[in-house]
Amino acid sequence: MSDTYHFIVGLRAIRDYRPDPLSNEDLGAILEAGRWTGSSKNRQDWSFIAVTEPEKIRELAEHGNFTQPVRDSAATIVLVEEPGGNTFDIGRAAQNMMLAARALGVASCPITFHRERDVAAQFGVPSGATARYGIALGYPTPGARPRNFGGRKKAPKVVKLNSY
């Protein structure tokens, strides 16, 4: 197996960040990876709000139920699904950004904002667009590890061949 394959299957959410801000270069590269993600019919029906100001990050964290990683982050990217977009493409963009972050030595954690209308109000997201998901980012603390909630289900539980 290639190093790229192991890099992809080794991606894990990391929630423990140093207080250092992200460099403009690292944040820009992560956003660029999202921008270059493939999308249905190449519509690119998304926008990305990079939130780096500590006060805005704290307010953003209030819009979800499990958002401690946002509170602790150096930056959080809000993924905006524009009208006509779809959640599948938002997920693809999120995964690309998380893989890019890992390649740069930046830890990441996907986030759901349970009060997406509040996110939209905070950032002026236009009517018809949704802002339900985000990615918390930061340089990992020494020894930061993913939470261990049992690893992965066995392949026969999730992989079916030719029928369910």
Side-chain angles (χ1 to χ4, degrees):
M1 293 279 175
S2 75
D3 289 342
T4 302
Y5 176 81
H6 291 291
F7 183 85
I8 292 168
V9 298
L11 178 67
R12 296 292 180 270
I14 301 293
R15 298 165 175 87
D16 301 315
Y17 314 119
R18 297 188 328 240
D20 314 349
L22 286 186
S23 73
N24 290 336
E25 294 78 16
D26 286 347
L27 183 57
I30 292 165
L31 291 163
E32 191 69 358
R35 192 175 75 82
W36 277 97
T37 301
S39 64
S40 301
K41 299 179 183 147
N42 197 30
R43 291 180 49 129
Q44 303 169 52
D45 289 325
W46 52 50
S47 297
F48 311 122
I49 303 169
V51 185
T52 60
E53 294 177 15
E55 183 57 38
K56 289 185 179 188
I57 288 172
R58 281 190 292 278
E59 184 179 344
L60 176 61
E62 295 302 314
H63 307 320
N65 297 341
F66 307 100
T67 55
Q68 190 61 44
V70 173
R71 284 181 188 83
D72 297 339
S73 74
T76 294
I77 298 171
V78 177
L79 301 126
V80 179
E81 184 181 316
E82 300 290 345
N86 64 70
T87 306
F88 184 79
D89 285 349
I90 288 292
R92 291 179 68 192
Q95 187 78 350
N96 268 18
M97 287 190 269
M98 292 176 69
L99 286 165
R102 181 170 187 235
L104 296 166
V106 176
S108 65
C109 182
I111 298 294
T112 299
F113 298 111
H114 300 91
R115 292 170 289 287
E116 61 192 84
R117 288 185 196 141
D118 295 337
V119 177
Q122 180 181 351
F123 295 104
V125 173
S127 178
T130 60
R132 182 162 177 77
Y133 302 105
I135 306 166
L137 300 166
Y139 297 110
T141 60
R145 305 192 49 81
R147 305 290 194 267
N148 186 355
F149 290 115
R152 293 289 175 263
K153 293 178 181 179
K154 300 288 184 195
K157 285 282 206 183
V158 297
V159 177
K160 313 299 180 195
L161 185 59
N162 296 317
S163 70
Y164 197 86

